[in-house]
Amino acid sequence: MSRKICGAMALVVVAMVLPAQVRAQPLLLGRCTVDNLSTSDMAKLRVEWARKCALNQNVGHPGAAFNTGLSSASGGTLKDYLESDLERNSMGEGSFAGSNFQVNNAAMFALYNSGPTYQALDTDGYQQWSRDSWRRKGRPLYPTFGTTPDIADGDNLQLFPHKELANCRLYFDKESTQPAFTAFYVNGYCESACYTAEQKILFADGDLPIREAMEALREDLITLTPDSTFDDLQLQPNLTYSYTRELRDAEHTLSVITARSGGQLRLTLEHPVITGEGRIVQAQTLKVGDALVKADGTLDPIADIQKATFFGKVYNLAPVTTDRVSNILVAQGYLVGSVRFQNDEVGYLNRIILYRSIPADVLPQVESP
């Protein structure tokens, strides 16, 4: 199995999810750092708060649902609610769901990956959507707010929900002492993270702890090439699309995976890892005897797995490429998946994504004319 560095490298700095304008991306990363929610549960509470406020403040009555025409896994069709009218409010002023105004749809986007959607009445009588628990995003998204629709607007001020989500007001400060009696908009969606600070990621000049890489805004990330196979792994210079980091220390449960060689990974439970079968799985599903894969393709059997409680910040990153194989990175010398496998590509968890080449002697032979 070979280990090669292929391709040329360009440099670009991009930030976290999701505005279309490139100029807005670094600003959103900064906003998400300030408006950091340190656990998935906190992100889920923010999304549920936004949904409830959208319904109670802007919709007003369960009977205001419209028929989406989409099939419900519970039977019938899915019903959603519009906070406003796009023709009258094209920028999304006062919307908790964002400028598409669809309340249940926004919550699904933030919390779940695609799949069959169920529907039931919530405690206030509104139709509420859900999906199977295994489709929940490993790193849920949550909305962050500002005073103008364009986060790059010089007059845009960051806004925050009440620190205990006690009401539907927004505030100029995180301590909820300065209520904002002004227009507000969803400026983007933030995402949490999953490496501990000391875990080393492969960059162009070698391994670097992810915290140091983020602080230096390192752009020269190394990933597999899109055409890599299990028996011909090739590494390429890639571009860093985003870093994420929690602003405050928090308690996390980690999988501490020790291989026979002595190598070790310390990851959150949902982090995607490549196994000796070429399969991508969550760290929490690994067991002793499974094999990790080194960057040169060597298998390293797992000798021990422990759960550990970690109090601190966790980190994550993603390359700019979106195909599945080039979203495989090298952490602590082992192949792991980027954050995209926890959200956009979660459907490929538990599937083989690194295949072995077909030997030439078993391919059909075409006779020359």
Side-chain angles (χ1 to χ4, degrees):
M1 299 182 187
S2 61
R3 173 175 172 173
K4 310 170 190 173
I5 303 290
C6 302
M9 185 181 353
L11 296 181
V12 64
V13 179
V14 292
M16 201 41 211
V17 204
L18 274 170
Q21 304 96 334
V22 172
R23 65 194 176 97
Q25 293 172 341
L27 296 174
L28 184 56
L29 176 58
R31 291 286 180 93
C32 292
T33 300
V34 174
D35 188 18
N36 176 262
L37 299 181
S38 56
T39 68
S40 296
D41 285 344
M42 292 173 67
K44 178 186 175 189
L45 288 174
R46 170 75 66 85
V47 173
E48 291 173 346
W49 166 86
R51 178 183 176 276
K52 187 169 184 176
C53 289
L55 294 170
N56 291 338
Q57 298 288 311
N58 295 333
V59 176
H61 192 278
F66 73 92
N67 190 338
T68 68
L70 301 173
S71 295
S72 167
S74 307
T77 54
L78 294 170
K79 310 298 192 300
D80 207 346
Y81 302 88
L82 290 174
E83 285 192 87
S84 187
D85 184 297
L86 188 60
E87 292 185 3
R88 294 185 292 107
N89 185 10
S90 60
M91 305 307 290
E93 179 179 345
S95 170
F96 294 89
S99 57
N100 76 351
F101 302 123
Q102 297 180 29
V103 178
N104 285 327
N105 183 64
M108 289 296 96
F109 160 74
L111 297 177
Y112 292 94
N113 295 285
S114 60
T117 304
Y118 303 91
Q119 182 172 258
L121 295 180
D122 66 15
T123 56
D124 295 322
Y126 290 94
Q127 297 286 352
Q128 184 173 24
W129 297 359
S130 65
R131 290 180 182 146
D132 294 313
S133 59
W134 63 271
R135 295 185 185 274
R136 187 177 293 277
K137 290 182 175 179
R139 297 292 155 189
L141 308 178
Y142 58 93
T144 191
F145 299 87
T147 56
T148 69
D150 186 354
I151 198 173
D153 187 337
D155 295 327
N156 187 304
L157 300 176
Q158 187 165 11
L159 299 174
F160 307 90
H162 189 277
K163 63 180 182 179
E164 296 177 355
L165 304 179
N167 56 53
C168 292
R169 298 191 189 96
L170 291 165
Y171 297 80
F172 288 113
D173 65 316
K174 295 190 70 173
E175 292 304 309
S176 312
T177 64
Q178 303 174 47
F181 300 105
T182 181
F184 67 86
Y185 304 81
V186 173
N187 282 159
Y189 280 79
C190 304
E191 182 179 51
S192 50
C194 70
Y195 292 102
T196 53
E198 82 285 352
Q199 295 291 282
K200 292 182 178 180
I201 307 298
L202 184 60
F203 288 86
D205 58 356
D207 297 319
L208 189 66
I210 189 170
R211 180 173 63 186
E212 293 182 26
M214 191 201 72
E215 290 172 348
L217 289 178
R218 289 291 297 266
E219 304 153 350
D220 51 341
L221 181 65
I222 300 296
T223 70
L224 290 187
T225 61
D227 58 351
S228 285
T229 59
F230 203 89
D231 44 5
D232 187 20
L233 297 179
Q234 300 183 57
L235 299 176
Q236 67 174 357
N238 208 323
L239 307 174
T240 303
Y241 175 70
S242 66
Y243 288 97
T244 58
R245 185 203 70 178
E246 294 176 325
L247 181 63
R248 296 179 298 278
D249 292 341
E251 186 173 290
H252 305 270
T253 301
L254 302 180
S255 282
V256 182
I257 305 163
T258 304
R260 186 177 297 170
S261 69
Q264 189 177 85
L265 285 168
R266 288 168 52 87
L267 306 167
T268 55
L269 302 182
E270 305 90 354
H271 197 89
V273 179
I274 300 294
T275 71
E277 299 176 310
R279 193 180 303 275
I280 189 158
V281 302
Q282 291 186 334
Q284 63 187 334
T285 68
L286 292 168
K287 60 185 184 296
V288 172
D290 290 341
L292 302 177
V293 183
K294 294 184 177 181
D296 62 359
T298 304
L299 302 187
D300 198 356
I302 296 173
D304 183 67
I305 300 177
Q306 299 290 332
K307 294 288 195 304
T309 299
F310 168 75
F311 186 82
K313 299 178 179 69
V314 289
Y315 300 73
N316 218 328
L317 79 168
V320 70
T321 51
T322 57
D323 66 277
R324 289 181 290 279
V325 177
S326 70
N327 268 266
I328 298 175
L329 323 174
V330 181
Q332 298 290 117
Y334 298 106
L335 299 183
V336 300
S338 83
V339 71
R340 296 190 194 278
F341 285 102
Q342 292 172 269
N343 291 333
D344 300 341
E345 298 292 347
V346 72
Y348 282 85
L349 285 174
N350 303 314
R351 296 189 190 183
I352 293 175
I353 64 168
L354 275 180
Y355 294 91
R356 296 189 181 276
S357 300
I358 301 174
D361 59 0
V362 303
L363 290 173
Q365 301 299 309
V366 179
E367 295 183 3
S368 301

